[in-house]
């Protein structure tokens, strides 16, 4: 077991900007914790890629984050959580959380008519992982999945309050309304950015579950259980660091539009340097940026 500094940062990664909703909830709910965030903007979207590809990407990113000396990692991507979480947990000597389980547990507890909807990317919905988790909790619950692939580009374009987004949401979500669900899991970390539009379409009677918030709560419990909670000794000049594999300026602008924190700079790195062809080795240090 590697030695862990409880004042080290938490690593968070996603295919792009969606995981910033998870980072935002960590900032709000665990304000003493530092964060290193990586967005794989050169290789998004993840939702249409194979399990093998997503697992390979996840390994590379985890290796990068471990080179930043993080104490725990949150896979802030539903697709990567569905496809890669189990494998990377066994391969790396560091606590790793996904974003699926926390939301599933809340949804199973909240549903009244035992009819839960899940919206996400094609990869996440096609994996059936939400239904698998929910059935373990309560086999009597019916789970209805719906892929909403256009939600990601709409969110990243900033069209969160736009008639086009509302019309797309109606087309995607009407079948779920017809199924009479009473609980809806936002099964992609981009989707909380469209929460008001989804709420408008689904109505107030449907409980929306935001896994980003639930994951931040789960992370707090994990850090406490492992005695990894930051001691908060002294001021931290740069508590949050951001890296991407491409389009750093565009990412930086988007991050500043949704985070409760002024992101001064996002660094671009060559994530391929962290390929796993040499097990047990890591490129050095936090300065591997272009």
């Amino acid at each position: 077991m590697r030695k862990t500094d409880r004042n080290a940062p938490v690593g968070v990664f996603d295919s792009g900007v969606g995981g910033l909703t998870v980072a935002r909830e960590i900032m709000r709910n665990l304000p003493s914790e530092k964060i290193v965030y990586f967005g794989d903007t050169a290789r998004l979207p993840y939702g249409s890629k194979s399990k093998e590809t997503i697992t390979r990407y996840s390994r590379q990113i985890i290796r990068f984050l471990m080179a930043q000396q993080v104490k725990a990692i949150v896979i802030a991507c539903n697709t990567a959580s569905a496809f890669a979480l189990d494998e990377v947990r066994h391969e790396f000597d560091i606590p790793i959380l996904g974003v699926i389980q926390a939301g599933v547990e809340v949804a199973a507890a909240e549903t009244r008519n035992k009819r839960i909807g899940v919206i996400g990317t094609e990869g996440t919905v096609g994996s059936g992982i939400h239904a698998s988790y929910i059935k373990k909790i309560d086999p009597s619950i019916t789970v209805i999945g719906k892929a909403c692939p256009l939600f990601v580009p709409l969110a990243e374009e900033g069209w969160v309050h736009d008639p086009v987004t509302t019309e797309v949401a109606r087309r995607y979500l009407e079948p779920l309304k017809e199924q009479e669900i009473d609980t809806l899991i936002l099964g992609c970390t981009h989707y909380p950015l469209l929460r008001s539009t989804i709420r408008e379409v689904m109505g107030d009677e449907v409980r929306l579950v935001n896994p980003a918030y639930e994951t931040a709560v789960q992370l707090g419990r994990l850090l406490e259980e492992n005695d990894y909670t930051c001691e908060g000794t002294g001021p931290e000049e740069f508590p949050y660091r951001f890296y991407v594999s491409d389009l750093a300026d565009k990412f930086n602008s988007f991050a500043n539009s949704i985070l409760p924190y002024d992101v001064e700079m996002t660094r671009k790195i060559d994530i391929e340097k962290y390929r796993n062809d040499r097990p047990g080795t890591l490129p050095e240090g936090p300065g591997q940026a272009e």
Side-chain angles (χ1 to χ4, degrees):
M1 179 69 70
R2 69 195 186 100
K3 185 177 179 181
T4 301
D5 176 8
R6 64 186 304 162
N7 293 316
V10 173
V12 180
F13 78 87
D14 181 47
S15 60
V17 302
L20 290 171
T21 61
V22 178
R24 180 173 62 184
E25 295 297 341
I26 295 172
M27 292 174 183
R28 289 172 173 170
N29 293 279
L30 304 171
S32 66
E33 297 296 339
K34 298 182 277 291
I35 297 172
V36 176
Y37 183 97
F38 177 80
D40 199 3
T41 47
R43 303 187 294 196
L44 60 79
Y46 278 13
S48 58
K49 292 181 171 64
S50 69
K51 173 181 173 66
E52 291 74 22
T53 296
I54 297 304
T55 303
R56 175 166 57 86
Y57 289 175
S58 298
R59 288 189 183 110
Q60 291 175 345
I61 297 166
I62 291 168
R63 292 168 68 80
F64 164 70
L65 291 173
M66 290 183 70
Q68 312 309 303
Q69 305 299 312
V70 299
K71 61 186 177 184
I73 291 174
V74 177
I75 303 180
C77 171
N78 281 266
T79 304
S81 295
F83 287 168
L85 179 61
D86 287 344
E87 288 192 38
V88 297
R89 271 181 167 168
H90 287 99
E91 293 174 9
F92 293 94
D93 184 21
I94 188 171
I96 303 176
L97 288 180
V99 289
I100 292 176
Q101 186 170 356
V104 159
E105 291 173 354
V106 170
E110 291 284 336
T111 183
R112 301 175 303 280
N113 68 0
K114 297 186 182 293
R115 298 182 67 80
I116 297 175
V118 179
I119 54 176
T121 65
E122 293 175 355
T124 299
V125 173
S127 74
I129 192 165
H130 288 86
S132 176
Y133 276 128
I134 290 170
K135 292 293 186 182
K136 290 178 182 177
I137 297 171
D138 185 346
S140 69
I141 293 176
T142 298
V143 181
I144 302 101
K146 176 65 177 175
C148 304
L150 290 179
F151 277 177
V152 170
L154 287 168
E156 295 200 350
E157 194 65 31
W159 292 12
V160 295
H161 302 290
D162 189 280
V164 171
T165 304
T166 301
E167 177 57 28
V168 169
R170 290 192 189 281
R171 288 196 172 198
Y172 281 149
L173 300 176
E174 282 297 334
L176 291 177
K177 292 185 69 174
E178 293 171 2
Q179 292 284 336
E180 299 182 344
I181 64 169
D182 73 349
T183 306
L184 179 62
I185 299 174
L186 307 183
C188 173
T189 49
H190 286 75
Y191 294 2
L193 300 173
L194 305 176
R195 184 185 180 95
S196 61
T197 298
I198 295 170
R199 164 67 63 211
E200 177 185 345
V201 173
M202 295 303 299
D204 292 337
E205 65 277 10
V206 175
R207 163 83 153 89
L208 301 185
V209 176
N210 177 8
Y213 168 77
E214 306 300 342
T215 299
V217 173
Q218 188 180 55
L219 173 64
R221 290 198 298 265
L222 180 145
L223 295 178
E224 187 172 349
E225 289 167 1
N226 287 277
D227 200 25
Y228 285 175
T229 303
C230 183
E231 294 173 318
T233 54
E236 175 69 27
E237 186 177 0
F238 300 110
Y240 310 124
R241 305 200 306 271
F242 299 87
Y243 300 87
V244 293
S245 49
D246 201 8
L247 302 172
D249 290 342
K250 183 176 180 180
F251 176 95
N252 206 80
S253 176
F254 191 91
N256 277 318
S257 73
I258 69 168
L259 293 179
Y261 168 85
D262 184 21
V263 181
E264 295 184 1
M265 181 178 65
T266 297
R267 296 182 178 181
K268 177 185 172 183
I269 66 158
D270 180 4
I271 194 62
E272 292 295 342
K273 289 181 179 178
Y274 298 84
R275 62 189 183 276
N276 60 315
D277 56 353
R278 290 186 299 156
T281 63
L282 288 170
E284 290 294 329
Q288 301 288 324
E290 298 178 354

